[in-house]
Amino acid sequence: MAEPNIARVTIVNTSGTTTFKPSPQPITQFDSVFWVNETNEAHQPAPDGGTNDQWVSQPILPQGSSPQIVFENTGSFPYHCAKHPQSQTEKGVITVKAQS
């Protein structure tokens, strides 16, 4: 089994629009992801729902970062900012492929 990797998703605000980058974030099964908040307000990545969505990030303070979330299941995992659920741009996807 390959050594797990750690992927980074950055929360950025460009010209008044907050987004998650990269999205989609491709990873391999058992890799982990953490979010780095480069904005001046708190955000909270949260799964959109589904049977394989078992992770929840804690709120991420401005200029802070989240704990690492390990993705054990394969598939596509859409998420949004729980602090700004009406936002059309604060959305992302983690895409997990099987280990080879």
Side-chain angles (χ1 to χ4, degrees):
M1 177 163 66
E3 189 71 27
N5 292 310
I6 301 170
R8 171 184 170 140
V9 175
T10 305
I11 305 167
V12 296
N13 187 308
T14 306
S15 301
T17 301
T18 301
T19 57
F20 296 103
K21 294 190 177 197
S23 181
Q25 171 64 67
I27 63 171
T28 301
Q29 187 177 19
F30 302 109
D31 285 354
S32 54
V33 174
F34 76 104
W35 286 261
V36 176
N37 184 0
E38 294 185 351
T39 75
N40 292 321
E41 61 183 317
H43 297 280
Q44 184 175 5
D48 284 356
T51 58
N52 290 329
D53 289 351
Q54 299 174 6
W55 62 274
V56 175
S57 172
Q58 298 298 317
I60 306 168
L61 297 176
Q63 308 303 317
S65 62
S66 73
Q68 295 176 23
I69 307 286
V70 176
F71 285 80
E72 297 179 0
N73 297 314
T74 59
S76 184
F77 300 93
Y79 65 92
H80 63 280
C81 180
K83 293 219 169 265
H84 307 106
Q86 302 305 317
S87 172
Q88 295 300 308
T89 61
E90 293 183 48
K91 299 178 180 200
V93 176
I94 305 296
T95 304
V96 184
K97 67 178 182 178
Q99 288 184 330
S100 48

